[in-house]
Amino acid sequence: MLAAEVAAFIEGQVMILVATRDEGHRPMIGRGSGARHDRASGLVHVLVSQSQWPLAVEHALPGRPIATTFVQPDNYRSFQIKGQITASGPADDAATAWGRHYVETQLALMAQLGVTRLQLSSTLSDRDLWHITFRPSDIFEQTPGPGAGRRFQTTEAVA
């Protein structure tokens, strides 16, 4: 479902925001601690720290909608991917390992941009990771500027 360009982007060094909602449609926001695209199934996997973002995780239930935003921190190039959650549960050892790697590389990148570990300590964590899987349905360009909010169009074959 994701174009190769978008799949590579979300697996890169990007900031990740995750939004779920409760029964009253109130948004629950969290920060992602890693993302991957399964090219065989078309599913997207995101990790979220349950201890830092308990409400976003609590409402990440199969069948519910999810919106994720991926932002390249040095130029704010952004994509938003919406979809429906297919699975949600504690991260296994393999997912925890890629979440830890994501957090380590993200902290190093942000340090190069002048953002300290202390500044990120309340929003970015690899502790108590929760694994959310969803099937993407819509992709939007969200880079600030005249194209922000436009549905993403690709000329390449989608994976």
PDB file of all heavy atoms in Angstrom, residues 104-144:
ATOM      1  N   GLU A 104      17.910   5.487  20.210  1.00  0.00           N
ATOM      2  CA  GLU A 104      19.332   5.859  20.243  1.00  0.00           C
ATOM      3  C   GLU A 104      19.707   6.720  19.038  1.00  0.00           C
ATOM      4  O   GLU A 104      20.365   7.758  19.193  1.00  0.00           O
ATOM      5  CB  GLU A 104      20.206   4.596  20.247  1.00  0.00           C
ATOM      6  CG  GLU A 104      20.174   3.836  21.548  1.00  0.00           C
ATOM      7  CD  GLU A 104      20.936   2.517  21.456  1.00  0.00           C
ATOM      8  OE1 GLU A 104      21.773   2.360  20.537  1.00  0.00           O
ATOM      9  OE2 GLU A 104      20.686   1.645  22.295  1.00  0.00           O
ATOM     10  N   THR A 105      19.309   6.319  17.855  1.00  0.00           N
ATOM     11  CA  THR A 105      19.668   7.088  16.657  1.00  0.00           C
ATOM     12  C   THR A 105      18.928   8.419  16.620  1.00  0.00           C
ATOM     13  O   THR A 105      19.474   9.419  16.155  1.00  0.00           O
ATOM     14  CB  THR A 105      19.408   6.290  15.365  1.00  0.00           C
ATOM     15  OG1 THR A 105      18.043   5.895  15.303  1.00  0.00           O
ATOM     16  CG2 THR A 105      20.292   5.077  15.274  1.00  0.00           C
ATOM     17  N   GLN A 106      17.691   8.449  17.111  1.00  0.00           N
ATOM     18  CA  GLN A 106      16.934   9.707  17.125  1.00  0.00           C
ATOM     19  C   GLN A 106      17.565  10.699  18.101  1.00  0.00           C
ATOM     20  O   GLN A 106      17.672  11.885  17.800  1.00  0.00           O
ATOM     21  CB  GLN A 106      15.473   9.429  17.473  1.00  0.00           C
ATOM     22  CG  GLN A 106      14.547  10.579  17.172  1.00  0.00           C
ATOM     23  CD  GLN A 106      14.443  10.889  15.678  1.00  0.00           C
ATOM     24  OE1 GLN A 106      14.707  10.040  14.832  1.00  0.00           O
ATOM     25  NE2 GLN A 106      14.092  12.100  15.359  1.00  0.00           N
ATOM     26  N   LEU A 107      17.992  10.210  19.270  1.00  0.00           N
ATOM     27  CA  LEU A 107      18.652  11.092  20.240  1.00  0.00           C
ATOM     28  C   LEU A 107      19.940  11.657  19.656  1.00  0.00           C
ATOM     29  O   LEU A 107      20.246  12.853  19.844  1.00  0.00           O
ATOM     30  CB  LEU A 107      18.923  10.342  21.546  1.00  0.00           C
ATOM     31  CG  LEU A 107      17.695  10.046  22.405  1.00  0.00           C
ATOM     32  CD1 LEU A 107      18.067   9.101  23.551  1.00  0.00           C
ATOM     33  CD2 LEU A 107      17.072  11.328  22.947  1.00  0.00           C
ATOM     34  N   ALA A 108      20.712  10.837  18.941  1.00  0.00           N
ATOM     35  CA  ALA A 108      21.960  11.314  18.329  1.00  0.00           C
ATOM     36  C   ALA A 108      21.662  12.366  17.260  1.00  0.00           C
ATOM     37  O   ALA A 108      22.339  13.406  17.190  1.00  0.00           O
ATOM     38  CB  ALA A 108      22.730  10.135  17.732  1.00  0.00           C
ATOM     39  N   LEU A 109      20.663  12.122  16.432  1.00  0.00           N
ATOM     40  CA  LEU A 109      20.303  13.079  15.392  1.00  0.00           C
ATOM     41  C   LEU A 109      19.838  14.400  16.010  1.00  0.00           C
ATOM     42  O   LEU A 109      20.271  15.477  15.588  1.00  0.00           O
ATOM     43  CB  LEU A 109      19.197  12.516  14.491  1.00  0.00           C
ATOM     44  CG  LEU A 109      18.613  13.505  13.488  1.00  0.00           C
ATOM     45  CD1 LEU A 109      19.665  13.911  12.456  1.00  0.00           C
ATOM     46  CD2 LEU A 109      17.389  12.926  12.808  1.00  0.00           C
ATOM     47  N   MET A 110      18.976  14.305  17.002  1.00  0.00           N
ATOM     48  CA  MET A 110      18.451  15.529  17.602  1.00  0.00           C
ATOM     49  C   MET A 110      19.552  16.315  18.315  1.00  0.00           C
ATOM     50  O   MET A 110      19.525  17.550  18.328  1.00  0.00           O
ATOM     51  CB  MET A 110      17.298  15.189  18.558  1.00  0.00           C
ATOM     52  CG  MET A 110      16.094  14.556  17.848  1.00  0.00           C
ATOM     53  SD  MET A 110      15.440  15.512  16.463  1.00  0.00           S
ATOM     54  CE  MET A 110      14.604  16.807  17.359  1.00  0.00           C
ATOM     55  N   ALA A 111      20.546  15.629  18.890  1.00  0.00           N
ATOM     56  CA  ALA A 111      21.681  16.316  19.517  1.00  0.00           C
ATOM     57  C   ALA A 111      22.436  17.133  18.482  1.00  0.00           C
ATOM     58  O   ALA A 111      22.866  18.257  18.761  1.00  0.00           O
ATOM     59  CB  ALA A 111      22.601  15.300  20.188  1.00  0.00           C
ATOM     60  N   GLN A 112      22.580  16.572  17.260  1.00  0.00           N
ATOM     61  CA  GLN A 112      23.250  17.314  16.180  1.00  0.00           C
ATOM     62  C   GLN A 112      22.470  18.568  15.798  1.00  0.00           C
ATOM     63  O   GLN A 112      23.036  19.536  15.290  1.00  0.00           O
ATOM     64  CB  GLN A 112      23.407  16.424  14.942  1.00  0.00           C
ATOM     65  CG  GLN A 112      24.360  15.276  15.137  1.00  0.00           C
ATOM     66  CD  GLN A 112      24.329  14.310  13.955  1.00  0.00           C
ATOM     67  OE1 GLN A 112      23.661  14.539  12.959  1.00  0.00           O
ATOM     68  NE2 GLN A 112      25.067  13.227  14.081  1.00  0.00           N
ATOM     69  N   LEU A 113      21.161  18.547  16.042  1.00  0.00           N
ATOM     70  CA  LEU A 113      20.306  19.694  15.710  1.00  0.00           C
ATOM     71  C   LEU A 113      20.136  20.641  16.900  1.00  0.00           C
ATOM     72  O   LEU A 113      19.360  21.588  16.820  1.00  0.00           O
ATOM     73  CB  LEU A 113      18.940  19.196  15.221  1.00  0.00           C
ATOM     74  CG  LEU A 113      18.979  18.343  13.945  1.00  0.00           C
ATOM     75  CD1 LEU A 113      17.607  17.749  13.646  1.00  0.00           C
ATOM     76  CD2 LEU A 113      19.488  19.162  12.765  1.00  0.00           C
ATOM     77  N   GLY A 114      20.828  20.329  18.017  1.00  0.00           N
ATOM     78  CA  GLY A 114      20.795  21.234  19.167  1.00  0.00           C
ATOM     79  C   GLY A 114      19.719  20.926  20.190  1.00  0.00           C
ATOM     80  O   GLY A 114      19.479  21.718  21.102  1.00  0.00           O
ATOM     81  N   VAL A 115      19.073  19.779  20.078  1.00  0.00           N
ATOM     82  CA  VAL A 115      18.048  19.383  21.046  1.00  0.00           C
ATOM     83  C   VAL A 115      18.688  18.382  21.996  1.00  0.00           C
ATOM     84  O   VAL A 115      19.241  17.370  21.559  1.00  0.00           O
ATOM     85  CB  VAL A 115      16.821  18.753  20.349  1.00  0.00           C
ATOM     86  CG1 VAL A 115      15.752  18.385  21.372  1.00  0.00           C
ATOM     87  CG2 VAL A 115      16.262  19.705  19.290  1.00  0.00           C
ATOM     88  N   THR A 116      18.607  18.660  23.282  1.00  0.00           N
ATOM     89  CA  THR A 116      19.293  17.819  24.260  1.00  0.00           C
ATOM     90  C   THR A 116      18.469  16.588  24.639  1.00  0.00           C
ATOM     91  O   THR A 116      17.251  16.560  24.482  1.00  0.00           O
ATOM     92  CB  THR A 116      19.593  18.604  25.545  1.00  0.00           C
ATOM     93  OG1 THR A 116      18.357  18.892  26.214  1.00  0.00           O
ATOM     94  CG2 THR A 116      20.355  19.882  25.252  1.00  0.00           C
ATOM     95  N   ARG A 117      19.170  15.609  25.185  1.00  0.00           N
ATOM     96  CA  ARG A 117      18.526  14.400  25.699  1.00  0.00           C
ATOM     97  C   ARG A 117      17.523  14.774  26.780  1.00  0.00           C
ATOM     98  O   ARG A 117      16.429  14.205  26.841  1.00  0.00           O
ATOM     99  CB  ARG A 117      19.601  13.464  26.241  1.00  0.00           C
ATOM    100  CG  ARG A 117      19.088  12.144  26.760  1.00  0.00           C
ATOM    101  CD  ARG A 117      20.260  11.276  27.218  1.00  0.00           C
ATOM    102  NE  ARG A 117      21.070  10.831  26.117  1.00  0.00           N
ATOM    103  CZ  ARG A 117      20.947   9.635  25.531  1.00  0.00           C
ATOM    104  NH1 ARG A 117      20.058   8.782  25.998  1.00  0.00           N
ATOM    105  NH2 ARG A 117      21.710   9.287  24.541  1.00  0.00           N
ATOM    106  N   LEU A 118      17.887  15.732  27.631  1.00  0.00           N
ATOM    107  CA  LEU A 118      16.981  16.162  28.707  1.00  0.00           C
ATOM    108  C   LEU A 118      15.688  16.727  28.115  1.00  0.00           C
ATOM    109  O   LEU A 118      14.593  16.440  28.598  1.00  0.00           O
ATOM    110  CB  LEU A 118      17.666  17.197  29.597  1.00  0.00           C
ATOM    111  CG  LEU A 118      16.812  17.749  30.738  1.00  0.00           C
ATOM    112  CD1 LEU A 118      16.393  16.619  31.688  1.00  0.00           C
ATOM    113  CD2 LEU A 118      17.578  18.825  31.493  1.00  0.00           C
ATOM    114  N   GLN A 119      15.806  17.528  27.063  1.00  0.00           N
ATOM    115  CA  GLN A 119      14.607  18.100  26.442  1.00  0.00           C
ATOM    116  C   GLN A 119      13.694  17.012  25.871  1.00  0.00           C
ATOM    117  O   GLN A 119      12.489  17.171  25.829  1.00  0.00           O
ATOM    118  CB  GLN A 119      15.001  19.080  25.329  1.00  0.00           C
ATOM    119  CG  GLN A 119      15.625  20.360  25.850  1.00  0.00           C
ATOM    120  CD  GLN A 119      16.199  21.206  24.733  1.00  0.00           C
ATOM    121  OE1 GLN A 119      16.944  20.713  23.885  1.00  0.00           O
ATOM    122  NE2 GLN A 119      15.846  22.479  24.740  1.00  0.00           N
ATOM    123  N   LEU A 120      14.274  15.919  25.428  1.00  0.00           N
ATOM    124  CA  LEU A 120      13.480  14.852  24.819  1.00  0.00           C
ATOM    125  C   LEU A 120      13.040  13.789  25.826  1.00  0.00           C
ATOM    126  O   LEU A 120      12.223  12.932  25.490  1.00  0.00           O
ATOM    127  CB  LEU A 120      14.287  14.182  23.699  1.00  0.00           C
ATOM    128  CG  LEU A 120      14.551  15.067  22.487  1.00  0.00           C
ATOM    129  CD1 LEU A 120      15.567  14.410  21.568  1.00  0.00           C
ATOM    130  CD2 LEU A 120      13.264  15.355  21.749  1.00  0.00           C
ATOM    131  N   SER A 121      13.559  13.861  27.046  1.00  0.00           N
ATOM    132  CA  SER A 121      13.311  12.783  28.004  1.00  0.00           C
ATOM    133  C   SER A 121      11.841  12.605  28.359  1.00  0.00           C
ATOM    134  O   SER A 121      11.427  11.517  28.736  1.00  0.00           O
ATOM    135  CB  SER A 121      14.135  13.000  29.274  1.00  0.00           C
ATOM    136  OG  SER A 121      13.712  14.179  29.935  1.00  0.00           O
ATOM    137  N   SER A 122      11.052  13.638  28.238  1.00  0.00           N
ATOM    138  CA  SER A 122       9.636  13.504  28.587  1.00  0.00           C
ATOM    139  C   SER A 122       8.764  13.105  27.402  1.00  0.00           C
ATOM    140  O   SER A 122       7.556  12.911  27.561  1.00  0.00           O
ATOM    141  CB  SER A 122       9.114  14.802  29.197  1.00  0.00           C
ATOM    142  OG  SER A 122       9.180  15.839  28.249  1.00  0.00           O
ATOM    143  N   THR A 123       9.365  12.992  26.222  1.00  0.00           N
ATOM    144  CA  THR A 123       8.549  12.648  25.052  1.00  0.00           C
ATOM    145  C   THR A 123       9.059  11.454  24.267  1.00  0.00           C
ATOM    146  O   THR A 123       8.307  10.889  23.474  1.00  0.00           O
ATOM    147  CB  THR A 123       8.443  13.837  24.076  1.00  0.00           C
ATOM    148  OG1 THR A 123       9.746  14.169  23.609  1.00  0.00           O
ATOM    149  CG2 THR A 123       7.791  15.029  24.736  1.00  0.00           C
ATOM    150  N   LEU A 124      10.294  11.070  24.432  1.00  0.00           N
ATOM    151  CA  LEU A 124      10.865   9.994  23.622  1.00  0.00           C
ATOM    152  C   LEU A 124      11.470   8.941  24.538  1.00  0.00           C
ATOM    153  O   LEU A 124      12.373   9.241  25.308  1.00  0.00           O
ATOM    154  CB  LEU A 124      11.946  10.551  22.683  1.00  0.00           C
ATOM    155  CG  LEU A 124      12.600   9.548  21.743  1.00  0.00           C
ATOM    156  CD1 LEU A 124      11.578   8.936  20.786  1.00  0.00           C
ATOM    157  CD2 LEU A 124      13.706  10.245  20.950  1.00  0.00           C
ATOM    158  N   SER A 125      10.954   7.730  24.449  1.00  0.00           N
ATOM    159  CA  SER A 125      11.418   6.680  25.345  1.00  0.00           C
ATOM    160  C   SER A 125      11.336   5.318  24.670  1.00  0.00           C
ATOM    161  O   SER A 125      10.493   5.086  23.803  1.00  0.00           O
ATOM    162  CB  SER A 125      10.547   6.665  26.610  1.00  0.00           C
ATOM    163  OG  SER A 125      10.896   5.579  27.442  1.00  0.00           O
ATOM    164  N   ASP A 126      12.210   4.419  25.124  1.00  0.00           N
ATOM    165  CA  ASP A 126      12.140   3.030  24.672  1.00  0.00           C
ATOM    166  C   ASP A 126      11.675   2.131  25.821  1.00  0.00           C
ATOM    167  O   ASP A 126      11.857   0.923  25.784  1.00  0.00           O
ATOM    168  CB  ASP A 126      13.480   2.565  24.117  1.00  0.00           C
ATOM    169  CG  ASP A 126      14.611   2.678  25.121  1.00  0.00           C
ATOM    170  OD1 ASP A 126      14.364   2.993  26.308  1.00  0.00           O
ATOM    171  OD2 ASP A 126      15.766   2.463  24.723  1.00  0.00           O
ATOM    172  N   ARG A 127      11.056   2.727  26.807  1.00  0.00           N
ATOM    173  CA  ARG A 127      10.574   1.986  27.983  1.00  0.00           C
ATOM    174  C   ARG A 127       9.133   1.526  27.770  1.00  0.00           C
ATOM    175  O   ARG A 127       8.312   2.278  27.250  1.00  0.00           O
ATOM    176  CB  ARG A 127      10.647   2.908  29.199  1.00  0.00           C
ATOM    177  CG  ARG A 127      10.384   2.234  30.494  1.00  0.00           C
ATOM    178  CD  ARG A 127      10.721   3.149  31.664  1.00  0.00           C
ATOM    179  NE  ARG A 127      10.006   2.647  32.819  1.00  0.00           N
ATOM    180  CZ  ARG A 127       9.305   3.391  33.632  1.00  0.00           C
ATOM    181  NH1 ARG A 127       9.246   4.687  33.465  1.00  0.00           N
ATOM    182  NH2 ARG A 127       8.682   2.850  34.633  1.00  0.00           N
ATOM    183  N   ASP A 128       8.826   0.310  28.162  1.00  0.00           N
ATOM    184  CA  ASP A 128       7.455  -0.240  28.098  1.00  0.00           C
ATOM    185  C   ASP A 128       6.838  -0.072  26.706  1.00  0.00           C
ATOM    186  O   ASP A 128       5.725   0.434  26.568  1.00  0.00           O
ATOM    187  CB  ASP A 128       6.545   0.424  29.123  1.00  0.00           C
ATOM    188  CG  ASP A 128       7.057   0.302  30.538  1.00  0.00           C
ATOM    189  OD1 ASP A 128       7.619  -0.751  30.875  1.00  0.00           O
ATOM    190  OD2 ASP A 128       6.895   1.272  31.302  1.00  0.00           O
ATOM    191  N   LEU A 129       7.553  -0.519  25.708  1.00  0.00           N
ATOM    192  CA  LEU A 129       7.073  -0.294  24.338  1.00  0.00           C
ATOM    193  C   LEU A 129       5.844  -1.144  24.020  1.00  0.00           C
ATOM    194  O   LEU A 129       5.754  -2.315  24.376  1.00  0.00           O
ATOM    195  CB  LEU A 129       8.188  -0.572  23.335  1.00  0.00           C
ATOM    196  CG  LEU A 129       9.348   0.415  23.383  1.00  0.00           C
ATOM    197  CD1 LEU A 129      10.436   0.020  22.400  1.00  0.00           C
ATOM    198  CD2 LEU A 129       8.866   1.839  23.109  1.00  0.00           C
ATOM    199  N   TRP A 130       4.929  -0.495  23.324  1.00  0.00           N
ATOM    200  CA  TRP A 130       3.680  -1.113  22.873  1.00  0.00           C
ATOM    201  C   TRP A 130       3.719  -1.138  21.355  1.00  0.00           C
ATOM    202  O   TRP A 130       4.129  -0.160  20.733  1.00  0.00           O
ATOM    203  CB  TRP A 130       2.497  -0.285  23.363  1.00  0.00           C
ATOM    204  CG  TRP A 130       1.191  -0.981  23.292  1.00  0.00           C
ATOM    205  CD1 TRP A 130       0.242  -0.841  22.333  1.00  0.00           C
ATOM    206  CD2 TRP A 130       0.652  -1.911  24.239  1.00  0.00           C
ATOM    207  NE1 TRP A 130      -0.835  -1.627  22.614  1.00  0.00           N
ATOM    208  CE2 TRP A 130      -0.605  -2.303  23.780  1.00  0.00           C
ATOM    209  CE3 TRP A 130       1.145  -2.465  25.428  1.00  0.00           C
ATOM    210  CZ2 TRP A 130      -1.408  -3.213  24.468  1.00  0.00           C
ATOM    211  CZ3 TRP A 130       0.343  -3.365  26.112  1.00  0.00           C
ATOM    212  CH2 TRP A 130      -0.917  -3.730  25.637  1.00  0.00           C
ATOM    213  N   HIS A 131       3.309  -2.245  20.773  1.00  0.00           N
ATOM    214  CA  HIS A 131       3.398  -2.458  19.327  1.00  0.00           C
ATOM    215  C   HIS A 131       2.001  -2.322  18.713  1.00  0.00           C
ATOM    216  O   HIS A 131       1.109  -3.110  19.010  1.00  0.00           O
ATOM    217  CB  HIS A 131       3.968  -3.850  19.089  1.00  0.00           C
ATOM    218  CG  HIS A 131       4.288  -4.163  17.680  1.00  0.00           C
ATOM    219  ND1 HIS A 131       5.129  -5.179  17.326  1.00  0.00           N
ATOM    220  CD2 HIS A 131       3.898  -3.607  16.502  1.00  0.00           C
ATOM    221  CE1 HIS A 131       5.236  -5.253  16.016  1.00  0.00           C
ATOM    222  NE2 HIS A 131       4.489  -4.303  15.495  1.00  0.00           N
ATOM    223  N   ILE A 132       1.836  -1.327  17.871  1.00  0.00           N
ATOM    224  CA  ILE A 132       0.556  -1.093  17.185  1.00  0.00           C
ATOM    225  C   ILE A 132       0.762  -1.379  15.699  1.00  0.00           C
ATOM    226  O   ILE A 132       1.691  -0.863  15.086  1.00  0.00           O
ATOM    227  CB  ILE A 132       0.075   0.361  17.382  1.00  0.00           C
ATOM    228  CG1 ILE A 132      -0.072   0.684  18.875  1.00  0.00           C
ATOM    229  CG2 ILE A 132      -1.241   0.594  16.630  1.00  0.00           C
ATOM    230  CD1 ILE A 132      -0.277   2.165  19.172  1.00  0.00           C
ATOM    231  N   THR A 133      -0.124  -2.174  15.149  1.00  0.00           N
ATOM    232  CA  THR A 133      -0.072  -2.506  13.725  1.00  0.00           C
ATOM    233  C   THR A 133      -1.347  -1.972  13.072  1.00  0.00           C
ATOM    234  O   THR A 133      -2.441  -2.112  13.632  1.00  0.00           O
ATOM    235  CB  THR A 133       0.010  -4.038  13.536  1.00  0.00           C
ATOM    236  OG1 THR A 133       1.150  -4.529  14.243  1.00  0.00           O
ATOM    237  CG2 THR A 133       0.122  -4.404  12.069  1.00  0.00           C
ATOM    238  N   PHE A 134      -1.175  -1.335  11.908  1.00  0.00           N
ATOM    239  CA  PHE A 134      -2.371  -0.840  11.218  1.00  0.00           C
ATOM    240  C   PHE A 134      -2.240  -0.975   9.709  1.00  0.00           C
ATOM    241  O   PHE A 134      -1.144  -1.056   9.169  1.00  0.00           O
ATOM    242  CB  PHE A 134      -2.697   0.596  11.627  1.00  0.00           C
ATOM    243  CG  PHE A 134      -1.739   1.653  11.147  1.00  0.00           C
ATOM    244  CD1 PHE A 134      -2.007   2.371   9.981  1.00  0.00           C
ATOM    245  CD2 PHE A 134      -0.587   1.955  11.848  1.00  0.00           C
ATOM    246  CE1 PHE A 134      -1.162   3.370   9.545  1.00  0.00           C
ATOM    247  CE2 PHE A 134       0.274   2.942  11.414  1.00  0.00           C
ATOM    248  CZ  PHE A 134      -0.008   3.656  10.257  1.00  0.00           C
ATOM    249  N   ARG A 135      -3.411  -1.002   9.087  1.00  0.00           N
ATOM    250  CA  ARG A 135      -3.473  -1.036   7.622  1.00  0.00           C
ATOM    251  C   ARG A 135      -3.702   0.388   7.121  1.00  0.00           C
ATOM    252  O   ARG A 135      -4.737   0.996   7.402  1.00  0.00           O
ATOM    253  CB  ARG A 135      -4.602  -1.944   7.142  1.00  0.00           C
ATOM    254  CG  ARG A 135      -4.671  -2.042   5.609  1.00  0.00           C
ATOM    255  CD  ARG A 135      -5.536  -3.187   5.128  1.00  0.00           C
ATOM    256  NE  ARG A 135      -5.140  -4.484   5.664  1.00  0.00           N
ATOM    257  CZ  ARG A 135      -4.069  -5.195   5.282  1.00  0.00           C
ATOM    258  NH1 ARG A 135      -3.269  -4.723   4.345  1.00  0.00           N
ATOM    259  NH2 ARG A 135      -3.803  -6.372   5.839  1.00  0.00           N
ATOM    260  N   PRO A 136      -2.739   0.934   6.373  1.00  0.00           N
ATOM    261  CA  PRO A 136      -2.885   2.314   5.894  1.00  0.00           C
ATOM    262  C   PRO A 136      -4.020   2.441   4.876  1.00  0.00           C
ATOM    263  O   PRO A 136      -4.232   1.539   4.058  1.00  0.00           O
ATOM    264  CB  PRO A 136      -1.543   2.622   5.234  1.00  0.00           C
ATOM    265  CG  PRO A 136      -0.691   1.431   5.382  1.00  0.00           C
ATOM    266  CD  PRO A 136      -1.478   0.337   5.997  1.00  0.00           C
ATOM    267  N   SER A 137      -4.735   3.550   4.972  1.00  0.00           N
ATOM    268  CA  SER A 137      -5.824   3.805   4.015  1.00  0.00           C
ATOM    269  C   SER A 137      -5.653   5.139   3.288  1.00  0.00           C
ATOM    270  O   SER A 137      -6.133   5.278   2.167  1.00  0.00           O
ATOM    271  CB  SER A 137      -7.179   3.772   4.722  1.00  0.00           C
ATOM    272  OG  SER A 137      -7.206   4.716   5.774  1.00  0.00           O
ATOM    273  N   ASP A 138      -5.020   6.113   3.922  1.00  0.00           N
ATOM    274  CA  ASP A 138      -4.830   7.435   3.315  1.00  0.00           C
ATOM    275  C   ASP A 138      -3.447   7.965   3.676  1.00  0.00           C
ATOM    276  O   ASP A 138      -2.995   7.790   4.805  1.00  0.00           O
ATOM    277  CB  ASP A 138      -5.872   8.432   3.829  1.00  0.00           C
ATOM    278  CG  ASP A 138      -7.268   8.072   3.392  1.00  0.00           C
ATOM    279  OD1 ASP A 138      -7.520   8.033   2.173  1.00  0.00           O
ATOM    280  OD2 ASP A 138      -8.099   7.817   4.283  1.00  0.00           O
ATOM    281  N   ILE A 139      -2.826   8.647   2.726  1.00  0.00           N
ATOM    282  CA  ILE A 139      -1.522   9.259   2.952  1.00  0.00           C
ATOM    283  C   ILE A 139      -1.601  10.712   2.500  1.00  0.00           C
ATOM    284  O   ILE A 139      -2.079  10.991   1.386  1.00  0.00           O
ATOM    285  CB  ILE A 139      -0.409   8.534   2.170  1.00  0.00           C
ATOM    286  CG1 ILE A 139      -0.394   7.053   2.536  1.00  0.00           C
ATOM    287  CG2 ILE A 139       0.954   9.173   2.437  1.00  0.00           C
ATOM    288  CD1 ILE A 139       0.506   6.223   1.653  1.00  0.00           C
ATOM    289  N   PHE A 140      -1.137  11.609   3.351  1.00  0.00           N
ATOM    290  CA  PHE A 140      -1.174  13.041   3.044  1.00  0.00           C
ATOM    291  C   PHE A 140       0.220  13.632   3.192  1.00  0.00           C
ATOM    292  O   PHE A 140       0.960  13.257   4.102  1.00  0.00           O
ATOM    293  CB  PHE A 140      -2.133  13.771   3.994  1.00  0.00           C
ATOM    294  CG  PHE A 140      -3.541  13.265   3.905  1.00  0.00           C
ATOM    295  CD1 PHE A 140      -3.985  12.252   4.739  1.00  0.00           C
ATOM    296  CD2 PHE A 140      -4.412  13.775   2.961  1.00  0.00           C
ATOM    297  CE1 PHE A 140      -5.276  11.767   4.653  1.00  0.00           C
ATOM    298  CE2 PHE A 140      -5.700  13.300   2.860  1.00  0.00           C
ATOM    299  CZ  PHE A 140      -6.136  12.292   3.707  1.00  0.00           C
ATOM    300  N   GLU A 141       0.545  14.547   2.309  1.00  0.00           N
ATOM    301  CA  GLU A 141       1.764  15.328   2.473  1.00  0.00           C
ATOM    302  C   GLU A 141       1.467  16.381   3.535  1.00  0.00           C
ATOM    303  O   GLU A 141       0.415  17.019   3.492  1.00  0.00           O
ATOM    304  CB  GLU A 141       2.148  15.992   1.155  1.00  0.00           C
ATOM    305  CG  GLU A 141       2.479  14.984   0.072  1.00  0.00           C
ATOM    306  CD  GLU A 141       2.861  15.645  -1.241  1.00  0.00           C
ATOM    307  OE1 GLU A 141       3.581  16.647  -1.211  1.00  0.00           O
ATOM    308  OE2 GLU A 141       2.424  15.133  -2.284  1.00  0.00           O
ATOM    309  N   GLN A 142       2.369  16.547   4.491  1.00  0.00           N
ATOM    310  CA  GLN A 142       2.133  17.514   5.562  1.00  0.00           C
ATOM    311  C   GLN A 142       3.302  18.466   5.733  1.00  0.00           C
ATOM    312  O   GLN A 142       3.383  19.173   6.736  1.00  0.00           O
ATOM    313  CB  GLN A 142       1.838  16.788   6.885  1.00  0.00           C
ATOM    314  CG  GLN A 142       0.535  16.034   6.887  1.00  0.00           C
ATOM    315  CD  GLN A 142      -0.690  16.938   6.776  1.00  0.00           C
ATOM    316  OE1 GLN A 142      -0.592  18.162   6.681  1.00  0.00           O
ATOM    317  NE2 GLN A 142      -1.865  16.337   6.765  1.00  0.00           N
ATOM    318  N   THR A 143       4.213  18.499   4.775  1.00  0.00           N
ATOM    319  CA  THR A 143       5.311  19.448   4.842  1.00  0.00           C
ATOM    320  C   THR A 143       4.742  20.855   4.847  1.00  0.00           C
ATOM    321  O   THR A 143       3.898  21.165   3.988  1.00  0.00           O
ATOM    322  CB  THR A 143       6.259  19.252   3.640  1.00  0.00           C
ATOM    323  OG1 THR A 143       6.676  17.886   3.606  1.00  0.00           O
ATOM    324  CG2 THR A 143       7.463  20.169   3.740  1.00  0.00           C
ATOM    325  N   PRO A 144       5.157  21.697   5.796  1.00  0.00           N
ATOM    326  CA  PRO A 144       4.613  23.067   5.815  1.00  0.00           C
ATOM    327  C   PRO A 144       4.798  23.758   4.458  1.00  0.00           C
ATOM    328  O   PRO A 144       5.845  23.643   3.825  1.00  0.00           O
ATOM    329  CB  PRO A 144       5.446  23.752   6.905  1.00  0.00           C
ATOM    330  CG  PRO A 144       5.887  22.637   7.803  1.00  0.00           C
ATOM    331  CD  PRO A 144       6.106  21.458   6.886  1.00  0.00           C
TER     332      PRO A 144
END
